[in-house]
Amino acid sequence: MAEGKLRDAGILLTAILCGVVSGMVGIGGGVLLVPLLVLIFAFGQHRAQGTSLIALIPPTGILAFLMYARSGYVSWLTGALLIPGVFLGGILGAHLVNKIEPLRLRRIFAAILFALGAWQAVAAWTH
Amino acid sequence: VFRYFHIRGSVASASHTREDKVSQAALRFLGLKDGVCMLLTILVILGLGLAAGVLVGLMGIGGGILLVPVMVYVLKMEQHTAQGTSLLILLLPVGLGALREYWKQGQVDVRAGVLCAVGMLLGAFGGSLVALPMGQRHLQGVFGCFMMAAAILLWNKTRGQAAPQPSEAENPHG
């Protein structure tokens, strides 16, 4: 929407916000970044997702991770076992994604998000 | 083969710490032998990694959104530990393979991506300072609410596209 520097500043600010959430809930932040890029900066769904992946390449969570590690909140073994699957699955998913049209992709994204979010929130507060 | 037994052995030893309660939980539930349980646990974790990876490629996200709830509810980890482990995985460029595919299609905005990376680095640090002192129940709830909020926003956007509205993004129904 906005042009040049203003847009850059906006994106940076948005990313900081996503980062805060990312550190709080221990996720990559892409989950918020993708919708925000779409909603505020008028990215197409595919483009928002590709751009989010760029942001996930550098270890953006490293500072947050160190804080968790210092408090002893890391299961190294589980992490090590998860990594190969995540990598291979990523390639598989990216192949799939090219076969889906943007509007449908956005709906799938929203549905998955909502289902996972509802699961978490309901389980947390009804236990 | 040796490597496999090494991993298995380390799972077995880890199960005696508070970290991997899953083996004991599964053991009680299924009444299986210890070794079988370890193997099952490893298979579940590997499968979970793959499933999260598909989301990485499909949705351009880190995969933590699936990893964290599954680690908490299926692997019976504590919320904080699940989040820390999720961050550990995200230290590596797990999305690199997926990024290559997006790149081929020209669906990447490098400039915006770099800005986002910088912002998230700083933001994540701040977020971890907030989350670590929080109680785990509320942390879980907050996690879920964030995701639902993002989902609702995005779904509204798809409706807007299906039937284009003349007004701007700030419509009162949003």
Side-chain angles (χ1 to χ4, degrees):
Chain A
M1 278 186 204
E3 307 229 340
K5 288 244 159 59
L6 194 65
R7 179 174 177 274
D8 286 353
I11 290 179
L12 188 65
L13 206 68
T14 307
I16 291 177
L17 179 79
C18 292
V20 170
V21 176
S22 161
M24 276 185 74
V25 302
I27 58 174
V31 79
L32 263 188
L33 191 60
V34 171
L36 289 176
L37 285 178
V38 170
L39 295 173
I40 304 175
F41 301 101
F43 276 56
Q45 184 71 21
H46 284 90
R47 197 168 177 77
Q49 297 187 180
T51 304
S52 161
L53 283 172
I54 278 252
L56 294 174
I57 292 305
T60 51
I62 192 155
L63 295 174
F65 169 73
L66 289 175
M67 297 301 292
Y68 277 87
R70 221 173 57 177
S71 307
Y73 286 132
V74 177
S75 172
W76 298 90
L77 186 73
T78 311
L81 285 171
L82 284 170
I83 287 166
V86 175
F87 183 77
L88 292 176
I91 298 172
L92 191 67
H95 272 291
L96 279 175
V97 87
N98 289 325
K99 300 193 173 79
I100 306 173
E101 49 160 339
L103 190 68
R104 174 167 287 179
L105 182 59
R106 196 167 290 170
R107 285 200 175 135
I108 293 173
F109 190 114
I112 293 176
L113 263 188
F114 191 84
L116 288 170
W119 177 29
Q120 273 283 62
V122 168
W125 282 317
T126 55
H127 268 194
Chain B
V1 174
F2 178 77
R3 214 181 127 80
Y4 162 71
F5 276 105
H6 178 69
I7 294 173
R8 196 172 142 176
S10 49
V11 173
S13 60
S15 75
H16 297 298
T17 71
R18 66 187 163 79
E19 300 239 22
D20 286 72
K21 289 175 197 150
V22 54
S23 40
Q24 285 123 6
L27 194 72
R28 274 197 304 272
F29 188 68
L30 296 169
L32 287 174
K33 281 186 184 161
D34 218 23
V36 182
C37 263
M38 294 308 152
L39 194 59
L40 268 178
T41 308
I42 293 176
L43 286 178
V44 165
I45 296 176
L46 288 176
L48 166 63
L50 200 64
V54 171
L55 284 190
V56 170
L58 200 60
M59 293 164 55
I61 60 172
I65 195 171
L66 178 70
L67 290 175
V68 172
V70 174
M71 281 194 274
V72 169
Y73 295 111
V74 180
L75 302 183
K76 307 284 176 211
M77 277 188 190
E78 210 193 312
Q79 178 78 15
H80 283 97
T81 310
Q83 296 188 179
T85 306
S86 162
L87 286 171
L88 165 69
I89 295 157
L90 296 172
L91 289 185
L92 298 178
V94 286
L96 208 55
L99 179 63
R100 218 179 109 240
E101 303 297 323
Y102 278 88
W103 190 270
K104 281 192 215 155
Q105 306 284 324
Q107 299 283 8
V108 180
D109 185 333
V110 179
R111 189 185 172 84
V114 170
L115 284 168
C116 288
V118 173
M120 276 166 45
L121 178 73
L122 300 174
F125 178 60
S128 67
L129 293 181
V130 177
L132 286 172
M134 274 172 84
Q136 76 152 330
R137 249 168 80 105
H138 291 297
L139 192 55
Q140 268 173 32
V142 167
F143 185 110
C145 288
F146 273 127
M147 279 158 53
M148 284 192 288
I152 292 167
L153 284 174
L154 209 59
W155 190 273
N156 275 354
K157 183 80 176 177
T158 68
R159 277 212 316 238
Q161 270 201 1
Q165 291 163 357
S167 67
E168 266 296 287
E170 293 124 343
N171 68 55
H173 310 290

